[in-house]
Amino acid sequence: MLEYRGYDIRDLAKKSSYEEVAYLLLYGELPKKYELDDFKMELTERRELPPQIIGLLTQLPPYTHPMVVLRTSISYLGSLDKKIDIKTREENLEKAKNFIAKFPTIIAYYHRIRTGQNLVPPKFELNHAANFLYMLHGEEPSKTAEQALDMDLILHAEHELNASTFAARIAASTLADMYACIVAATGTLMGPLHGGASQEVMNMLREVATPRRADEYVRKKLERGEKVMGFGHRVYKNVIDPRTELLRELAKKLASEGDPNWFEISEAIAKSAYKYKKLLPNVDFYSASVYENLRIPDDLFINIFAMGRVAGWSAHIIEQYENNKLIRPRAKYTGEIDKEYKPLSERD
Ligand code: ACO
């Protein structure tokens, strides 16, 4: 079972919204109706980007990976914040709301710019998930698409000390500013063994192309000693990641209303991965077919993860600041010791 601040993620995924979960993570309690309304309003007001950031998005080469764009933009946002070093609770929450609100706009604007399309400004009336899809595609999403992304963001919002959150906490423990902490987290999330796996999963689904080729693909990959992306987890060793089941249901629903191919290939791969090596899919596996059915470009998959996880990162950073002790593990040196230093001229 996985819980966010004591609430089962299955309840949160099915009954709440991303904004409600972000509030829960930041403030520690579920909001009352008026608190949620205020919080949503605060996020909505913070969606637009400063002109300097839009300028940056137009200047970056169009082949820049959107995760590199995101972390560069976060750093730039930091340089524009005159209160960058202020770490009162109020100011930390202000920064967190800014990250949550602006991530979708950075991602959607960059995609529109690199593909030569007009920017679609945020729409006040739309919730967080729907507004992102609207800014990305230039049209309001269907109710199913909106709910699917909303649930996906909830499921990605938090997962205790995963690599990116740990990176954020290490940075926070040095009392680095919050932008630096989020940049550390964003850089860490990008690796293919962490959030980068979802993009790799989509590459795999495209390579396999049809369910009947899945078994041979998985068998050969494992025979070569290679990893099947989207499988395995440091925490969930012999049990299925609770998020995976919910994402599988979501992927199945979207497949029944859209293109079923990606879900069917995913199912065939999962069956073979279990048959040959008892491998279980992780949170990144079914995300790929969900995103594909939401018409999200492959190289934005990791950014969608970041869009959800930024609430968790921010909550962890604030928690670290408020009860801080420097995180500094020791390394165990395993080489030879007590060696004699010889001048350069005496070394052969
Ligand atoms: N494909 C093939 N074999 C795997 C996989 C995989 N995806 N994952 C684990 N294994 C195997 C290992 O090869 C190892 O087998 P062995 O005992 O025969 O050598 C065994 O399972 C144990 O694996 P470890 O690598 O020790 O597991 P670890 O906890 O170190 O790694 C990790 C976890 C990094 C997630 C790993 O499973 C992996 O690389 N998966 C693929 C990448 C991926 O999907 N990452 C996303 C993780 S979820 C997230 O970050 C949100």
Side-chain angles (χ1 to χ4, degrees):
M1 180 150 106
L2 176 61
E3 294 183 338
Y4 296 167
R5 294 212 188 260
Y7 293 95
D8 189 328
I9 52 145
R10 286 171 297 191
D11 285 336
L12 294 173
K14 292 188 174 164
K15 299 176 191 166
S16 74
S17 65
Y18 179 71
E19 289 92 324
E20 203 178 338
V21 167
Y23 185 101
L24 171 69
L25 293 170
L26 292 178
Y27 293 90
E29 298 292 346
L30 282 175
K32 296 189 178 65
K33 164 111 181 49
Y34 76 90
E35 289 169 326
L36 182 60
D37 289 346
D38 285 355
F39 184 64
K40 282 167 104 166
M41 177 80 80
E42 288 183 297
L43 291 181
T44 308
E45 285 165 353
R46 286 162 176 76
R47 282 177 182 163
E48 199 39 282
L49 302 178
Q52 295 94 326
I53 300 292
I54 299 178
L56 171 75
L57 299 179
T58 58
Q59 280 162 30
L60 288 167
Y63 52 80
T64 312
H65 192 285
M67 278 301 279
V68 175
V69 173
L70 185 62
R71 69 170 190 242
T72 307
S73 305
I74 299 161
S75 210
Y76 196 173
L77 276 172
S79 77
L80 301 173
D81 184 353
K82 294 197 175 106
K83 296 183 180 170
I84 185 168
D85 284 322
I86 298 181
K87 295 193 186 70
T88 57
R89 180 165 178 76
E90 196 189 11
E91 191 52 43
N92 293 338
L93 287 167
E94 171 62 28
K95 290 179 176 33
K97 282 180 256 185
N98 251 308
F99 294 134
I100 295 169
K102 288 186 172 37
F103 268 34
T105 321
I106 294 169
I107 299 163
Y109 275 16
Y110 175 64
H111 180 67
R112 304 273 312 175
I113 289 167
R114 71 174 174 172
T115 50
Q117 302 179 79
N118 292 339
L119 296 186
V120 180
K123 204 176 220 177
F124 193 74
E125 315 82 85
L126 296 179
N127 73 27
H128 196 70
N131 176 60
F132 171 70
L133 292 171
Y134 168 71
M135 292 189 298
L136 188 69
H137 297 310
E139 59 190 40
E140 287 192 27
S142 68
K143 209 69 202 157
T144 309
E146 172 184 341
Q147 286 168 349
L149 183 62
D150 190 58
M151 189 197 272
D152 179 88
L153 294 176
I154 292 172
L155 293 173
H156 283 88
E158 155 65 3
H159 200 220
E160 40 114 336
L161 287 185
N162 57 85
S164 55
T165 306
F166 191 47
R169 280 196 91 124
I170 292 173
S173 84
T174 71
L175 298 182
D177 68 77
M178 215 161 155
Y179 297 87
C181 302
I182 296 285
V183 168
T186 315
T188 309
L189 182 70
M190 195 180 172
L193 296 189
H194 190 10
S198 55
Q199 190 179 339
E200 301 285 338
V201 171
M202 201 59 226
N203 292 340
M204 171 171 71
L205 298 186
R206 291 194 194 289
E207 204 181 326
V208 173
T210 158
R212 68 187 155 70
R213 289 188 48 206
D215 193 71
E216 190 191 0
Y217 176 92
V218 173
R219 182 175 51 77
K220 287 193 172 158
K221 209 163 178 57
L222 291 174
E223 276 171 8
R224 290 194 299 268
E226 290 172 14
K227 290 210 164 144
V228 187
M229 299 316 271
F231 288 85
H233 198 279
R234 178 57 62 83
V235 175
Y236 306 107
K237 287 290 181 196
N238 299 309
V239 286
I240 186 105
D241 179 337
R243 300 165 299 174
T244 305
E245 288 175 333
L246 291 158
L247 278 163
R248 182 179 170 276
E249 277 174 37
L250 198 56
K252 192 173 176 184
K253 182 164 183 254
L254 287 174
S256 70
E257 295 175 19
D259 181 354
N261 192 40
W262 307 113
F263 179 69
E264 285 166 8
I265 302 170
S266 306
E267 289 287 83
I269 291 175
K271 200 169 150 200
S272 301
Y274 191 77
K275 178 173 89 178
Y276 292 119
K277 211 172 174 185
K278 297 265 178 297
L279 292 173
L280 292 168
N282 58 47
V283 68
D284 281 329
F285 184 64
Y286 287 104
S287 309
S289 53
V290 166
Y291 299 155
E292 187 58 29
N293 270 328
L294 293 176
R295 297 189 292 125
I296 293 172
D298 298 8
D299 66 354
L300 293 190
F301 286 11
I302 321 171
N303 293 64
I304 307 298
F305 194 149
M307 249 172 71
R309 187 56 58 88
V310 67
W313 289 337
S314 302
H316 275 273
I317 294 164
I318 295 173
E319 190 175 81
Q320 187 69 38
Y321 283 156
E322 290 182 352
N323 190 9
N324 190 48
K325 191 154 176 67
L326 180 74
I327 301 172
R328 203 298 191 188
R330 295 297 311 271
K332 189 168 165 48
Y333 173 70
T334 55
E336 206 181 321
I337 59 165
D338 296 334
K339 291 158 88 176
E340 186 194 346
Y341 180 87
K342 283 188 188 163
L344 208 48
S345 57
E346 290 175 26
R347 293 178 214 159
D348 3 274

